[in-house]
Every structure is written in structure tokens, then in C-alpha cells.
């Protein structure tokens, strides 16, 4: 097992790979400074090889007139449109289009590709003429709470325009594979070195240090996908267990969250801090509700928990069951009673099961954000000879042979 840990810590980095050197404009619905996840992992790696402009959705605040603000972080430029609170909504897209044009002019962006996380950005960027268009469909956004009604039609349009489409998991790929000729599944990956710090660094952060063991933890966005009734039931069934909840609360009111002496909401944490918290957990949780918003999710935290050495208990999310549940790497349970029993088994597993620990490391050696990024970058680069339309599987196969 020690040799395998050494192999994982020596995984290749992105400097070994070549990608296109033209500028990249990424349109995303996720704030860069919100939660460090798929877009951040991929765009920071692209930024090692090319200029990257991460264009966020607009914010409406107290400003006199629309303005485009930008700042440098993690090697790329974050671009955020700001609008007055009372700005006429029917004028927003036209103004955004002008902002995009001004960005190209001010930054002397002449040869570029576009990368979409949200089809909504088409409403102000469809006029652009990029070398290639990539749609990285990481979630079924139309199933999320407060999804715009025009999202489905815009996704269909983006599917027609994109040269290549990626999905954030296998189940999402299976649901959309008939809609594009050049679509590929890229499930969640890991930065193993980062999360493996939890295996050796056992010094608790200050706000976790006084929470008793056993600790069962979760990090991520706390929203409508969380099974709050399951959380409440587990906390009530085992008052001697302490549930540590890390992450921002969005789209649901904090008052709806279960309250108990053994449930601890520690708020959002920086990505760099997460291993320190994980190092003090006895079990890591994926307590997702089973509803339309979770039907196609592929939680990045599944392999991250495992990389940290934490035994994991999850509800039966399809992309967790396959492969993690099927491979006996993660415990799967849905009812409060079975979830509690699974947590008890997971605690024992974390203490005693060396076979499971070796099996986890063997599985993780096959996935990393470096290799995932390299494969995605290669797909994008091979599409550059085709412009503004997606290609058939036959033409794409021919292109990859050249």
C-alpha cells in the first residue's frame, strides 16, 4: 500500500501535455470564488498554457451604470459584469453582448475558443466566431431550483453549435448521447495530493477541534439536493454522533435546515482548508435527496473523500452507485435506519479494513484532474480544423488519426 501511495503522489501534471495556445473564453453560471470544483480544476490547468477569461453571470448591485470588472486569480482573468439594481432586464443581454465585444477589443483577443458551462450565455455570445465551441455539461441545470424556463431551448441550440460536448458523469452522458455526434463522458476526478494530506495531517481547525467524535462530515453546497430529513433522522437516532456540515447554504432558507446539538454548520471553507477538516472525520457523507435535481449528478466529493482516506456513506445516487457502490468502495443506503447501519459499518471499515484501503488506492490511481484535463484538451484541440459546427463520428475518427 505504501508503494501505491507513492505512485499516486507522483501522478503526472499538466506540464507534460500540449494544448491549443489560443485564448479561451469560459462562460459559467458558477462564481469563481464560490466552491472550487470542476470549472476551477479545468480552467486553472488551461491557464498554464493559454490566456483564460472566466466570464461570470452578471451581478446586480448599487452602481451608477453597467460596468465590467475583472481581477486576476489562480493564473486567469475573472470577468464579472455589474449592473445597477434597477437596470431594465430587457436591456441586459444587449449590454452583455457589448461588454463581451469590448473585452475582446481591450484584451486584444483575436483568435480564441469558447467553453460553456451555461447555455444561458448564448443570449449574449452567439454572435462570436470562435475557433471551436465546447459545451461542458456538468449538470442537468434545467432540473435545478429556479432554473430559467428558456434554458432547455438554449441548451438545444448550444448542442447544435458545439464542436464537442462533455458530460460531468456517466448517467448524464447516457441521457444526452443521442443529441450530439461528438460527446464524451468525463466523470469527477481528484487532485489526489491535495486531499491525501488528510491522511497525515490530523491537526484540527479551531472551529472543529472541540466537536466530539465520532464525526460524520459533509462538504459542498447545501441546497435543494440535500436530504435534510435524512440528516435530522440520523442525528436523532444517534445523539452521540456529531454531524459536521461545511459549505454555503443556497436556494433554501437556513431556517429549514435541521437543528440539533449534534449538528454543526461551519459555513463555507476555502478549498485549501478542506483536507484539514477531512483529517478529523470518522465518516464522510453524501446525504443527497433522490429527486429530479440529483438524477444526473456525479459528486466530485466522492473520490475526494476517498483520497482523504475517509470511509463514505451515500444515498443511491446513480453515479455513486456506479462505480463506487458496485466496487464496494462506498456504502449505499437510503432510509434513516439503513443509513445509520451503513455509517456504523463505515466506521469499522475505516479502522480495521486494510483490504478496502488498498482497493481504494488502486481505484484512485486511474483518475486525476491532470489526466482528465489532458484528454478534454486533446478533444478540443482536434476540433480546431472544424469551425462553427459539430462533426460526425466518422470525421472525428479520421481527424484523430491525422
Amino acid at each position: 500500500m505504501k508503494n501505491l501511495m507513492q505512485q499516486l503522489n507522483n501522478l503526472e501534471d499538466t506540464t507534460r501535455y500540449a494544448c491549443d495556445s489560443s485564448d479561451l473564453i469560459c462562460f459559467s453560471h458558477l462564481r469563481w470564488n464560490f466552491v472550487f470544483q470542476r470549472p476551477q480544476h479545468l480552467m486553472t490547468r488551461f491557464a498554464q498554457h493559454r490566456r483564460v477569461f472566466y466570464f461570470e453571470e452578471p451581478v446586480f448591485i448599487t452602481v451608477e451604470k453597467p460596468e465590467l470588472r475583472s481581477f486576476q486569480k489562480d493564473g486567469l482573468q475573472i470577468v464579472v459584469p455589474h449592473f445597477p439594481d434597477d437596470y431594465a432586464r430587457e436591456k441586459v443581454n444587449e449590454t452583455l453582448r457589448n461588454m463581451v465585444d469590448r473585452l475582446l477589443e481591450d484584451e486584444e483577443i483575436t483568435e480564441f475558443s469558447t467553453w460553456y458551462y451555461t447555455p444561458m450565455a448564448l443570449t449574449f455570445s452567439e454572435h462570436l466566431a470562435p475557433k471551436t465551441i465546447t459545451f461542458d455539461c456538468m449538470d442537468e441545470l434545467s432540473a435545478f431550483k429556479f432554473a430559467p424556463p428558456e434554458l432547455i431551448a438554449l441548451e438545444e441550440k448550444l448542442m447544435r453549435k458545439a464542436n464537442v460536448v462533455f458530460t460531468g458523469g456517466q448517467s448524464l452522458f447516457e441521457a444526452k448521447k443521442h443529441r450530439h455526434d461528438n460527446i464524451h463522458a468525463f466523470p469527477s476526478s481528484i487532485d489526489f495530493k491535495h486531499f491525501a494530506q488528510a491522511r497525515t495531517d490530523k491537526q484540527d481547525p479551531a472551529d472543529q477541534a472541540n466537536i466530539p467524535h465520532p464525526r460524520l462530515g459533509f462538504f459542498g453546497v447545501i441546497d435543494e439536493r440535500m436530504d435534510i430529513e435524512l440528516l435530522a433522522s440520523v442525528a436523532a437516532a444517534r445523539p452521540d454522533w456529531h454531524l459536521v456540515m461545511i459549505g454555503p447554504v443556497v436556494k433554501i432558507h437556513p431556517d429549514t435546515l435541521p437543528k440539533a446539538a449534534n449538528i454543526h454548520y461551519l459555513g463555507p471553507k476555502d478549498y485549501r482548508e478542506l483536507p484539514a477538516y477531512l483529517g478529523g472525520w470518522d465518516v464522510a457523507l453524501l446525504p443527497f435527496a433522490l429527486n429530479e435535481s440529483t438524477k444526473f449528478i456525479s459528486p466530485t466529493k466522492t473520490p475526494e473523500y476517498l483520497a482523504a482516506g475517509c470511509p463514505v456513506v451515500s444515498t443511491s445516487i446513480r453515479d455513486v452507485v456506479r462505480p463506487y457502490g458496485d466496487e464496494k468502495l462506498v456504502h449505499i443506503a437510503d432510509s434513516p435506519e439503513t443509513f445509520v447501519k451503513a455509517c456504523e459499518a463505515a466506521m469499522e471499515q475505516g479502522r480495521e479494513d486494510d483490504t478496502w484501503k488498498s482497493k481504494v488506492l488502486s481505484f484512485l490511481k486511474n483518475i486525476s484532474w491532470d489526466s482528465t484535463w489532458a484528454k478534454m484538451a486533446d478533444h478540443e484541440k482536434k476540433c480546431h480544423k472544424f469551425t462553427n459546427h459539430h462533426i460526425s463520428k466518422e470525421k472525428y475518427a479520421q481527424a484523430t488519426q491525422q
Side-chain angles (χ1 to χ4, degrees):
M1 190 161 63
K2 184 177 179 180
N3 290 336
L4 191 53
M5 278 288 291
Q6 291 174 342
Q7 292 176 33
L8 283 161
N9 279 312
N10 291 328
L11 286 171
E12 296 173 303
D13 61 32
T14 60
T15 59
R16 294 282 303 272
Y17 301 96
C19 73
D20 181 65
S21 59
S22 65
D23 294 333
L24 183 63
I25 305 175
C26 176
F27 296 102
S28 181
H29 59 296
L30 297 169
R31 302 289 176 199
W32 188 265
N33 289 332
F34 183 51
V35 174
F36 201 93
Q37 51 191 304
R38 183 184 182 96
Q40 287 84 350
H41 280 293
L42 295 173
M43 292 302 129
T44 53
R45 286 162 173 78
F46 273 120
Q48 295 178 36
H49 303 269
R50 61 206 291 192
R51 288 200 303 172
V52 176
F53 300 87
Y54 189 85
F55 202 100
E56 294 186 355
E57 290 185 333
V59 295
F60 293 85
I61 59 173
T62 306
V63 292
E64 291 186 5
K65 60 181 180 180
E67 57 184 63
L68 196 62
R69 300 179 185 177
S70 65
F71 60 94
Q72 294 284 333
K73 188 170 183 181
D74 301 316
L76 61 153
Q77 187 163 326
I78 317 301
V79 184
V80 188
H82 287 67
F83 285 84
D85 284 321
D86 58 353
Y87 197 77
R89 293 305 192 262
E90 64 271 15
K91 295 182 179 180
V92 168
N93 285 333
E94 179 184 354
T95 305
L96 284 170
R97 175 174 173 150
N98 293 334
M99 286 178 170
V100 171
D101 290 343
R102 190 164 69 249
L103 175 68
L104 267 62
E105 181 179 351
D106 292 347
E107 297 293 340
E108 299 181 352
I109 302 171
T110 55
E111 190 176 65
F112 65 95
S113 294
T114 52
W115 188 288
Y116 288 84
Y117 281 104
T118 172
M120 296 301 295
L122 272 185
T123 57
F124 58 86
S125 64
E126 191 175 5
H127 66 291
L128 297 176
K131 291 171 63 178
T132 60
I133 300 172
T134 299
F135 178 26
D136 189 9
C137 183
M138 63 180 285
D139 286 306
E140 183 58 81
L141 295 180
S142 63
F144 284 14
K145 197 172 185 178
F146 307 130
E150 63 270 33
L151 182 59
I152 294 176
L154 285 168
E155 179 177 291
E156 186 60 39
K157 181 181 286 189
L158 183 54
M159 282 282 190
R160 293 195 301 268
K161 292 176 68 67
N163 299 93
V164 60
V165 177
F166 304 123
T167 65
Q170 187 63 31
S171 60
L172 196 56
F173 169 78
E174 291 169 1
K176 296 183 184 290
K177 63 184 179 181
H178 65 285
R179 295 174 57 190
H180 202 280
D181 291 330
N182 187 21
I183 185 169
H184 310 271
F186 281 99
S188 302
S189 294
I190 52 166
D191 179 348
F192 181 84
K193 293 179 184 179
H194 178 68
F195 284 97
Q197 296 175 87
R199 294 170 177 264
T200 55
D201 183 6
K202 299 298 182 180
Q203 184 172 354
D204 266 325
D207 58 349
Q208 182 172 272
N210 293 325
I211 298 175
H213 288 269
R215 295 181 191 148
L216 294 78
F218 168 89
F219 71 74
V221 180
I222 302 172
D223 58 15
E224 79 275 16
R225 294 171 295 175
M226 181 72 63
D227 190 337
I228 58 178
E229 293 182 1
L230 177 62
L231 280 179
S233 297
V234 171
R238 294 301 302 263
D240 56 318
W241 292 356
H242 289 263
L243 280 59
V244 179
M245 307 297 292
I246 291 175
V249 179
V250 300
K251 293 190 287 185
I252 59 174
H253 198 283
D255 289 346
T256 64
L257 296 175
K259 305 294 192 299
N262 61 334
I263 304 179
H264 310 268
Y265 298 98
L266 303 187
K269 305 298 177 185
D270 189 272
Y271 179 75
R272 292 168 293 185
E273 299 176 278
L274 294 178
Y277 286 91
L278 282 162
W281 294 355
D282 299 287
V283 175
L285 303 177
L286 294 167
F288 289 112
L290 302 180
N291 55 36
E292 284 301 308
S293 67
T294 62
K295 187 176 181 180
F296 298 112
I297 63 171
S298 179
T300 305
K301 57 184 65 63
T302 313
E304 291 173 343
Y305 285 163
L306 293 172
C310 289
V312 181
V313 179
S314 174
T315 52
S316 55
I317 298 300
R318 192 174 179 187
D319 280 4
V320 178
V321 174
R322 300 180 314 173
Y324 300 98
D326 291 345
E327 295 291 333
K328 308 300 181 186
L329 302 175
V330 168
H331 298 265
I332 305 296
D334 290 320
S335 71
E337 295 77 17
T338 57
F339 204 88
V340 167
K341 289 181 180 179
C343 290
E344 292 171 344
M347 288 180 200
E348 186 67 23
Q349 184 179 59
R351 288 191 293 265
E352 306 291 343
D353 195 342
D354 289 338
T355 300
W356 168 77
K357 294 175 185 178
S358 296
K359 191 174 182 180
V360 164
L361 293 176
S362 295
F363 181 88
L364 295 179
K365 72 178 181 180
N366 298 315
I367 57 175
S368 75
W369 279 118
D370 284 342
S371 60
T372 293
W373 168 84
K375 292 171 185 175
M376 295 172 82
D378 191 50
H379 280 298
E380 186 223 15
K381 186 176 181 180
K382 287 170 180 173
C383 286
H384 284 169
K385 62 183 67 178
F386 304 91
T387 56
N388 294 326
H389 58 84
H390 69 331
I391 62 176
S392 69
K393 292 180 180 178
E394 291 76 17
K395 284 185 178 179
Y396 186 78
Q398 293 172 7
T400 60
Q401 299 301 315
Q402 298 174 8

